[in-house]
Amino acid sequence: MNPLLTKSYTTGAIVAPCRLVKAGTSDNVVIQATDGSAAYFGVSAENLTVASGDMVDVIKAGLAWIELGDTVARGDKVKADSVGRGVAVTIVAGTTVHVAGTAQVSGVVGDIIPMMVEPTVVNNDTGIVTADIEITTGQLLAL
């Protein structure tokens, strides 16, 4: 896998591998995400389950392995289910949904697939607005 940015955080609860994480109750603390209502910090590393209070590596940008909680098609935008697994985003006009990234391959419940981590929020009153952006390695390094 090719994570572009990985950062270590303290866990505020048990964090399973390949799960979406969000901010915990204090700075530099993460917990497993439980839906699409809060901003994502990234995806927990694939190596092991981390106990509360221990350190976990979180992939914040680039490709990361994500465990699926439902069927996802290649190219689907992904958010968290109730236990931090990736599920396809359904955006309804007038709602706000946090998106964690884009599925790189299709999969079903329990599969671990590569996802491009690109946390964003969709907040719109009339429907879906999307933009595909490509950044070269040179452009990324210039940031």
Side-chain angles (χ1 to χ4, degrees):
M1 206 45 51
N2 272 337
L4 295 175
L5 177 61
T6 301
K7 183 177 178 343
S8 295
Y9 290 95
T10 302
T11 58
I14 293 173
V15 173
C18 304
R19 301 293 175 100
L20 292 165
V21 295
K22 64 180 182 176
T25 56
S26 59
D27 289 345
N28 297 311
V29 174
V30 296
I31 58 174
Q32 279 184 188
T34 55
D35 59 22
S37 65
Y40 299 108
F41 268 38
V43 180
S44 61
E46 71 271 7
N47 47 357
L48 54 102
T49 297
V50 180
S52 182
D54 287 346
M55 299 299 287
V56 63
D57 286 339
V58 175
I59 297 138
K60 300 184 66 66
L63 289 172
W65 296 108
I66 182 81
E67 182 178 347
L68 297 180
D70 201 355
T71 300
V72 172
R74 178 183 64 254
D76 280 353
K77 298 300 181 191
V78 176
K79 69 173 190 162
D81 69 1
S82 62
V83 292
R85 298 174 302 184
V87 295
V89 173
T90 301
I91 301 171
V92 178
T95 63
T96 299
V97 177
H98 289 268
V99 174
T102 304
Q104 301 298 293
V105 300
S106 300
V108 297
V109 175
D111 285 352
I112 297 176
I113 67 164
M115 179 185 79
M116 178 60 73
V117 179
E118 45 195 6
T120 189
V121 64
V122 175
N123 180 8
N124 105 31
D125 295 326
T126 59
I128 301 171
V129 176
T130 62
D132 289 335
I133 301 170
E134 291 186 23
I135 299 175
T136 67
T137 303
Q139 291 169 323
L140 185 60
L141 291 172
L143 292 178

